[in-house]
């Protein structure tokens, strides 16, 4: 393997009961927006090729499983992919921080983009903190006035289509 590919890879347990089927749960601001079942009749993987999807109602066990992941990881936006074992117990397949939602919106008629935009626009950064690097941002919830701490690895400040960086001359490498 190393001779030909020399890249990291992941090995996952095959869950026979979930062959060709997975559950995608969309989360915004630690809250479950909804879920779909993805089905692929051509391949054991449900998230590639020609697949179909249908609305999936999370039972109490699956809802608690996904909600617990969302809370513990402080998920602001993600798709949590769940597999169900032979006893219908949820198993975490993966969490996609850049989850595509086009199929989810078509299936559920839930406007994910609008809900995520409303979340983003209802918060304002008030502090960026860290020792030698950016470690967290303090966000103010503009609806409740509550401050929330968000652990981050960095910040990308948007400064416009035509960067206005004159204020940073001599402070930042600008090449």
């Amino acid at each position: 393997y190393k001779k030909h590919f020399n890249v990291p890879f992941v090995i996952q347990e095959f869950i026979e009961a979930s062959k060709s089927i997975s559950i995608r749960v969309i989360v915004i601001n630690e809250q479950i927006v909804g879920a779909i079942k993805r089905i692929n009749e051509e391949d054991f993987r449900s998230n590639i090729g020609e697949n179909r999807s249908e609305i999936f109602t999370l039972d109490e066990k699956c809802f608690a499983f996904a909600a617990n992941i969302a809370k513990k990881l402080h998920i602001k936006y993600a798709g949590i992919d769940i597999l169900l074992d032979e006893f219908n117990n949820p198993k975490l397949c993966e969490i996609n921080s850049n989850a595509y939602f086009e199929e989810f919106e078509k299936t559920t008629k839930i406007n994910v983009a609008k809900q995520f935009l409303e979340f983003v626009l209802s918060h304002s950064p008030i502090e960026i903190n860290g020792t030698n690097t950016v470690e967290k941002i303090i966000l103010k919830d503009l609806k409740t006035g509550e401050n929330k701490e968000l652990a981050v690895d960095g910040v990308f400040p948007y400064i416009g289509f035509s960067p206005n960086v004159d204020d940073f001359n001599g402070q930042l490498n600008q090449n």
Side-chain angles (χ1 to χ4, degrees):
Y1 168 80
K2 282 188 174 187
K3 181 178 177 182
H4 299 291
F5 298 105
N6 200 24
V7 293
F9 62 96
V10 174
I11 297 174
Q12 293 177 305
E13 177 185 359
F14 179 66
I15 309 290
E16 179 69 34
S18 274
K19 180 181 179 184
S20 305
I21 298 170
S22 68
I23 310 304
R24 162 63 58 93
V25 179
I26 295 291
V27 173
I28 297 174
N29 195 24
E30 301 180 21
Q31 301 298 311
I32 293 172
V33 173
I36 59 172
K37 179 192 280 188
R38 300 183 300 179
I39 304 158
N40 186 336
E41 293 163 359
E42 305 294 323
D43 193 286
F44 73 93
R45 297 165 291 184
S46 64
N47 63 342
I48 68 161
E50 294 297 319
N51 60 0
R52 64 183 174 83
S53 61
E54 57 193 47
I55 294 173
F56 185 80
T57 302
L58 297 168
D59 65 14
E60 191 175 311
K61 195 179 341 181
C62 278
F63 186 91
F65 181 77
N68 188 38
I69 291 169
K71 291 275 186 220
K72 282 191 175 187
L73 297 179
H74 306 287
I75 292 176
K76 300 308 174 202
Y77 174 77
I80 300 174
D81 292 345
I82 297 173
L83 305 177
L84 299 175
D85 70 12
E86 65 272 19
F87 304 107
N88 260 358
N89 293 314
K91 304 288 183 187
L92 179 62
C93 179
E94 63 186 354
I95 301 170
N96 294 287
S97 62
N98 61 341
Y100 297 120
F101 52 80
E102 182 179 6
E103 181 181 356
F104 180 92
E105 285 187 329
K106 276 192 231 174
T107 303
T108 65
K109 309 298 185 239
I110 295 171
N111 189 334
V112 174
K114 180 180 182 221
Q115 287 190 32
F116 186 61
L117 184 61
E118 286 171 351
F119 163 70
V120 170
L121 295 177
S122 69
H123 291 78
S124 177
I126 58 173
E127 286 182 42
I128 300 173
N129 297 317
T131 305
N132 293 318
T133 62
V134 175
E135 296 170 359
K136 64 183 172 182
I137 296 177
I138 307 298
L139 296 174
K140 181 174 188 157
D141 185 318
L142 300 175
K143 292 178 182 174
T144 67
E146 177 185 4
N147 289 346
K148 299 176 183 180
E149 185 177 296
L150 178 64
V152 296
D153 293 322
V155 174
F156 179 80
Y158 177 74
I159 53 177
F161 291 110
S162 298
N164 182 3
V165 295
D166 293 339
D167 291 343
F168 301 107
N169 284 336
Q171 299 174 38
L172 295 174
N173 181 354
Q174 298 180 22
N175 73 18

